[in-house]
Amino acid sequence: MFGEDLPPRFYHYPRDFNRCDLLIVMGTSLNVEPFSELVDAVPRHVPRVLLNRESVGPFTGTSGARRNDLFIPGDITTTVKELLRLLQWDLEEEEEEEGRGEVEEEGG
């Protein structure tokens, strides 16, 4: 991604972010522009959640912090698996169902 032009779709983010109900940010230093600016692009009432090994950017509690920000420290893979468990989402089961559907479609 470094040194490459961003696809035109990237620049639609203001429209998309204005309709956002929740922003989840994962595995980032929030140091590389223009991505570092995206976290501030959602309306102020939208909760922002950072899943990361360390608190970065506005999630450090310095300037830019919002009252509805949430920082969840730890390994991303472990954190996402725990989140899926708490939500009772079984992605392995869904992937198996999707795989069966593709076979059925191909078979007629």
Side-chain angles (χ1 to χ4, degrees):
M1 175 115 304
F2 289 104
E4 297 179 24
D5 288 337
L6 294 169
R9 173 76 178 110
F10 174 83
Y11 298 99
H12 295 185
Y13 80 85
R15 182 192 67 208
D16 296 339
F17 278 34
N18 279 330
R19 299 183 305 192
C20 179
D21 295 320
L22 172 68
L23 180 68
I24 300 175
V25 181
M26 298 189 298
T28 180
S29 65
L30 290 177
N31 284 331
V32 179
E33 291 186 11
F35 302 102
S36 62
E37 299 169 7
L38 294 178
V39 72
D40 293 321
V42 294
R44 290 199 63 78
H45 70 275
V46 173
R48 304 181 304 179
V49 179
L50 174 65
L51 309 176
N52 212 25
R53 290 192 186 275
E54 57 191 38
S55 181
V56 295
F59 295 93
T60 59
T62 57
S63 74
R66 299 179 184 179
R67 65 175 178 77
N68 54 359
D69 283 349
L70 175 63
F71 169 53
I72 303 174
D75 174 73
I76 293 171
T77 302
T78 303
T79 303
V80 169
K81 284 181 180 180
E82 177 64 9
L83 180 59
L84 294 174
R85 186 190 70 75
L86 291 170
L87 292 169
Q88 298 179 353
W89 290 354
D90 186 354
L91 292 183
E92 290 177 8
E93 183 178 302
E94 288 181 22
E95 288 173 357
E96 289 174 9
E97 288 176 11
E98 287 176 7
R100 283 194 298 268
E102 290 173 8
V103 171
E104 290 173 10
E105 289 174 13
E106 289 176 8

